[in-house]
Structure formats: structure tokens, C-alpha cells
Amino acid sequence: MQWDMEGDSAFVTGGGSGIGQAIALKLAEQGVKVAVADVDAAKAEGTASRIGEGGGTALALELDVTRSDRVNDAIARTHAEFGSLAYLMNVAGISQQKAVHEISDQDWARMIDVHLNGTFYCIRAALPLMMEAGFGVIASLSSMHGLKGQEMASHYSAAKAGIAALTKAVAREVAGSGIRINALAPGPIDTPMWRRGLIGEALEKRKSDRSKIVPMGRLGEPAEVADLAVFLLSNASTYVTGQVVGVNGGELMP
């Protein structure tokens, strides 16, 4: 299905791997020019190269989303090189498993900084360009755990809940400016971050144990999240804004 996005441009954080990479590749398939931003320059280059090999247009950017000055520069460069900025996709994130009483000040600050502050910095930098153009669509990665909470990851849950609230607030603020903003709330998705470096039997056991909790009986794939992201960014969802949309195999049914 075509989403009427050809020729537009997008800025994708966390685009070097996992869900971010899947979204960047899916956008490129629709003819979108994609700025692939990632804290790991080599991974950003890898995704951009795949887009180029497929006949698309991509720009690889090394970016730490916790640095607002660098976010501003990266988005300004994207707009200058592509001539526009139609879509912003906030995916960059980290994970950590710790009991709440073991989370240090640094752990807490880092989690909020990458997820919530990083998403805010990107939205703040992109909005003036979108408002000037009278069009723009933003989507950010929240989480199922930001809606229901996750044991051993209270800081992660809090950060993802913040993204959901930020999404709703900004959507109300800019709805009259031709700009839409939504969030995705994935459940367990088979990404490098979810795998936590496990391989072999240990990985298969983790996947099997986790799949038993999901009504559909399996983990999600990054491409399945990407399909939803592209739908929310595209003209197929022109009356959808301020929503937090689950993609979790039925594990959370609000």
C-alpha cells in the first residue's frame, strides 16, 4: 500500500538498528528522504547505506539526543539538505533492569534524558519548521510499560509515560497548525535491545518465556511496528492526533 509520502523528508532518531532502522527503511520504501540519526555513527551509516542501495535518499547523522544543541543542528541540517521536514520519528532509547531502590540518581537522570528529554528536544526543534510550512507529522515511541508499568524498570516506565503525556499535550497545542502528533506503545519486540546480548539457548528461552504472556503467543517484529508508524505519519491517518496506539499482540487491552 502506498501512503502518499513520496518526495517528503523525515528525521528518524535511533535509526541505526531495531525499530528505528525498520521505520527508516519502510519510509524509504515509500519514497521518503530519510535522515538517519543515531548515537552510533557506524550504525547510522549502515542504515543509510541500505537505503541508498535500494535506490532511496538518506543522510546519516551521529546524534546524542540528550544534547539539545546537537539536536537543533541535526534537524537544521536535515531541513537544509532536503529542503523540508515533513516527518519526525522519535525512537532513540535505552533500557535497564533495576529494582527501584537500586536505581541511582545517574540511572534515573540518564533514562529520563534519553527518552523524555530527547523526544522533547527533537519536537521543539522540528515544530517551528513544520509550523512555517503549515504541515508536519510527529510520532514518538512510548511503550506498553509506560501505560501499565513494568517491575524492575520504574525509571523506564516513567520516561515512556512522560512521552505519552507530552504527545497528548503537544497534539492539543498544534492541532490548528496543520500538525499531527501521535505515539506508539509497543509490547515485546524482537530487537537487539530486547535481546540484551543473549544468544543460543538463553535467547530462545527468553523468547519462549516472554511469548507465553502474549495472547498472540509470540514477540512482535520491528517491521510490524514500522508499518504502524508509517500509517500514523502518512495521509492515511489525517484525522488521528494525540493518540497512543498499542502494538503488543494483545498483551495490553486498555
Side-chain angles (χ1 to χ4, degrees):
M1 180 180 292
Q2 292 295 316
W3 301 118
D4 191 22
M5 307 172 83
E6 188 170 359
D8 288 334
S9 59
F11 186 91
V12 181
T13 71
S17 64
I19 293 172
Q21 181 182 72
I23 293 171
L25 295 174
K26 183 69 67 173
L27 286 168
E29 288 176 7
Q30 305 304 315
V32 177
K33 296 171 285 188
V34 184
V36 182
D38 200 283
V39 70
D40 187 321
K43 289 182 178 179
E45 288 284 357
T47 301
S49 294
R50 288 182 61 179
I51 291 173
E53 290 165 3
T57 300
L59 170 66
L61 297 169
E62 181 179 1
L63 178 65
D64 178 351
V65 296
T66 70
R67 294 287 304 274
S68 64
D69 56 338
R70 295 184 182 178
V71 168
N72 293 340
D73 290 344
I75 287 183
R77 180 181 172 189
T78 298
H79 186 267
E81 295 208 14
F82 291 160
S84 65
L85 180 62
Y87 313 115
L88 167 63
M89 185 72 229
N90 296 302
V91 183
I94 58 174
S95 67
Q96 184 183 51
Q97 300 289 305
K98 274 192 176 182
V100 63
H101 61 279
E102 295 176 345
I103 295 172
S104 68
D105 291 354
Q106 292 75 22
D107 293 333
W108 178 270
R110 179 65 177 164
M111 191 67 68
I112 297 298
D113 212 10
V114 173
H115 288 277
L116 185 53
N117 292 350
T119 297
F120 167 70
Y121 294 151
C122 289
I123 291 173
R124 184 177 63 182
L127 271 179
L129 301 173
M130 293 178 171
M131 294 177 77
E132 183 178 358
F135 174 80
V137 191
I138 299 170
S140 303
L141 215 64
S142 179
S143 170
M144 174 182 73
H145 299 300
L147 304 178
K148 75 180 186 68
Q150 180 185 20
E151 66 278 10
M152 302 295 291
S154 57
H155 49 349
Y156 177 85
S157 297
K160 289 300 193 180
I163 291 173
L166 176 65
T167 294
K168 295 175 183 179
V170 177
R172 288 185 179 276
E173 187 171 329
V174 302
S177 302
I179 300 166
R180 297 186 296 107
I181 174 168
N182 294 289
L184 295 80
I189 308 298
D190 190 4
T191 64
M193 189 167 77
W194 186 89
R195 292 187 175 200
R196 300 179 192 168
L198 296 176
I199 59 173
E201 291 184 6
L203 174 60
E204 292 308 310
K205 183 178 186 308
R206 174 166 163 74
K207 292 172 70 172
S208 176
D209 290 347
R210 190 64 183 82
S211 296
K212 292 174 183 176
I213 304 172
V214 182
M216 290 184 69
R218 64 175 178 86
L219 302 184
E221 295 294 332
E224 293 176 302
V225 183
D227 285 338
L228 177 59
V230 172
F231 168 76
L232 290 173
L233 292 172
S234 77
N235 286 331
S237 60
T238 52
Y239 200 53
V240 181
T241 195
Q243 304 303 305
V244 181
V245 185
V247 49
N248 56 55
E251 185 173 347
L252 178 64
M253 303 181 186

